[in-house]
Each structure stands twice: as C-alpha cells, then as structure tokens.
Amino acid sequence: MSKRLTNILVPLISVFLGLLVGAIIMLVSKYNPIDGYVALFNGIFGEIYSIGETVRQIIPYILAGLAVAFAFRTGLFNIGVEGQLIVGWLASVWVGISFELPKVIHLPLAVLAAALAGALWAFIPGFLKAAFRVHEVIVTIMMNYIALHATNYLIYNVLTDNQDKTPKVADSATLRSPFFESITDYSRLHWGIIIALLGALVMWFILEKTTIGYELRSVGFNHHASQYAGMNVNKNIILSMVISGAFAGLAGAMEGLGTFEYAAIKGGFTGVGFDGIAVALLGGNTAVGIILAAALFGGLKIGALNMPFEAEVPNELVDIVIALIIFFVASNYMIRWFLDRAGKKGAK
C-alpha cells in the first residue's frame, strides 16, 4: 500500500473508530447511538442557520490548526496557541474600538494588529528556545495563563470603566457580512472564512514553495545538520514561532471582529487554541487536511448542541468522541501496521 494512500486512510479510520467507540459508550450509557448521531447530523445540516453557524465555527479552527501545524512542521510544539489567540482577540478589538477610520483601512489594521499581537506573544518562547534552549512547551503553557489574566485585567481596568466587556467594535472594523447573514438565515457567518482559507494557502506556499520554508523544515528535521549546512538555526526557530503565533492571533481576530465583535472577561480558556492541536493532528499538518479536519470538528461542536434536545444525549459525549478521534490519530502506528499487513496480504 502506498504511503500517500496510507496517509489518507489513517485519519479516516481514526474518525470512524472514534465514532464507533462513541456509539458503544452511548449504548453502555443507555442512550440510542442512532438517535444521537441523527441528532448530531441534523444539528449540522438540518437548517440553513445551522450550516452557517457550522462554517462560522470552522473559521477559528482552521487558523488555530494552521498555527499548531506550522510549528509542528518546523520541529516545534506550540501549545500556546490559546494564549496567542486571546491576545490577538484583544488587540483586534482594541483597534476596532479606539480609532475612527475608513473601513478599507480600519478592518485590515485591526486584523493586522491581531496577527502582530499573536506573533509577539509567540516571539517570547521562540527567543527563549533559541537563546537558552528552554523548552517551548513549558513556556507556552505558562504564557497561556499570563495571556488570560493579563487580558482580563486590561479589559476591566483599561479598555472599560470596570465593565466585564468592551463596547462593540466600529462598523468599519467588523467582519460581519450582511450577504452571508442573508443566505444563512441570519447566522453569525462572516468574511473571516476568506481570511482562513487564504491563511491555509499562505502556510502551504511558505512551507512548500519558498526557500525560507525549506530552511524552517530543515531546522525542524535536524538542528545540527542545518547548522552545518550554513542555516541560522536560532533565527529560524524564532521565525517559526512568530509565524505560528501570527496565525493564532488571526484566529482571535475572527472571534473579536466577526463572531462576537467585542472582548469580554473570560472565566477560562476558549478551548479553540487547544482544539487546534487536534485539528492539526487529524489534518496531518497539511493545509488541505487542516481545512477538512476543522470542518469535522466545527460540525461536531455545533451539531452536539442539538443532541440533548432531539435525542436526550448529553452533548459532552461529542467531546468524548473528539478525544477518541485524537487517541486513534495518536495511535496511528497501530493503524498503519494493520494497513501494511492488509496491503501485504492483498499483494500475495
């Protein structure tokens, strides 16, 4: 069996096994899995509004997945996408409420501010990794909490007068789309879908078609060999984290300028940045794979909201299904072993 076919089959089998074991858990919990999955399907495709909300949920998942995948592809584990998303969210809203500019300037400036904020937040673990070999996982985990509490402080004490959320961004800075609203029964689908798809194209182009991308991937494969070949390893480590953080910041802008149009004090993490890890893993760290994986996870998240009403199945079971899918993706060696054995038997 060819490697390309195996790479396609592994995530598909992982999804199937996740849904299958999820069905077994429903049976053990005395729920009807058929009714549960029918309700899940109806929650995604049952109404035009639900389809719009599903696509809207896919937008930050694509960008969060790109952030994780870009770091993965260059030998780094950016587990701080959640924090970078949060600071990007706040930066975009700050620009959106603080300036009065024409839309052609204001909106791009707000989006750019989010990307820059995420990039700067990711620069810190990148610099510490490059200069002192401090593991990026430890630093990014800590910076997630710093981002959460620092942004809460800024919202309450700086951007508002002791309020729990900011005013809405100006119309000139919003991603809201009357066109998408009109064709999806006034869902919150916005123009961010274009930015997300362009982001996937940008990641593919950087990594596959540029010299910088080749160097970044080379450093990820082997630091010592890359340094021997004359590449600046430390610079590429920092650059990789900065680009990854920019994608994460853009994911925050999609929420701050599109879905909610404001920033609010958060009692906990949004979860989008952490779900981006699952999206990247299921998507095989490729641009097209991430779009498809984001579509799956976005559909599961929105469809799950319908399960308690239509089938009396707790929507937390979808989180179990997602966890199972991640488990089977992480266990891809076992799946590949079975596929190789099946391929060898088929060849005899």
Side-chain angles (χ1 to χ4, degrees), residues 57-71:
Q57 183 66 55
I58 291 169
I59 296 170
Y61 276 166
I62 291 176
L63 290 164
L66 292 174
V68 176
F70 195 93

Side-chain angles (χ1 to χ4, degrees), residues 209 250 312:
K209 299 296 181 181
L250 286 175
E312 297 183 352

Side-chain angles (χ1 to χ4, degrees), residues 91-120:
S92 66
V93 170
W94 173 72
V95 172
I97 64 177
S98 300
F99 299 96
E100 294 182 6
L101 298 166
K103 191 176 185 73
V104 69
I105 297 174
H106 202 180
L107 178 56
L109 184 63
V111 172
L112 182 61
L116 183 61
L120 289 173

Side-chain angles (χ1 to χ4, degrees), residues 26 30-40 306-314:
M26 287 187 206
K30 298 182 180 180
Y31 296 110
N32 188 323
I34 296 177
D35 291 345
Y37 283 138
V38 168
L40 178 69
N306 187 52
M307 293 173 71
F309 302 104
E310 191 171 317
E312 297 183 352
V313 176

Side-chain angles (χ1 to χ4, degrees), residues 70-77 129 136 207 212-227 231-233 236-237 240:
F70 195 93
F72 271 151
R73 292 283 299 275
T74 55
L76 298 169
F77 189 7
K129 171 80 170 183
E136 70 276 7
L207 290 177
I212 293 174
Y214 175 79
E215 287 194 12
L216 290 172
R217 287 185 289 116
S218 297
V219 170
F221 283 130
N222 192 311
H223 287 189
H224 300 295
S226 300
Q227 191 169 20
M231 299 177 189
N232 189 327
V233 172
N236 282 300
I237 288 174
S240 174

Side-chain angles (χ1 to χ4, degrees), residues 72-96:
F72 271 151
R73 292 283 299 275
T74 55
L76 298 169
F77 189 7
N78 183 9
I79 205 170
V81 169
E82 179 73 21
Q84 294 146 23
L85 179 152
I86 291 172
V87 297
W89 185 334
L90 183 65
S92 66
V93 170
W94 173 72
V95 172

Side-chain angles (χ1 to χ4, degrees), residues 62 66 200-201 203-204 279 282-295:
I62 291 176
L66 292 174
L201 181 63
M203 188 189 97
W204 169 81
V279 170
L282 184 61
N285 297 319
T286 63
V288 174
I290 286 167
I291 293 172
L292 297 176

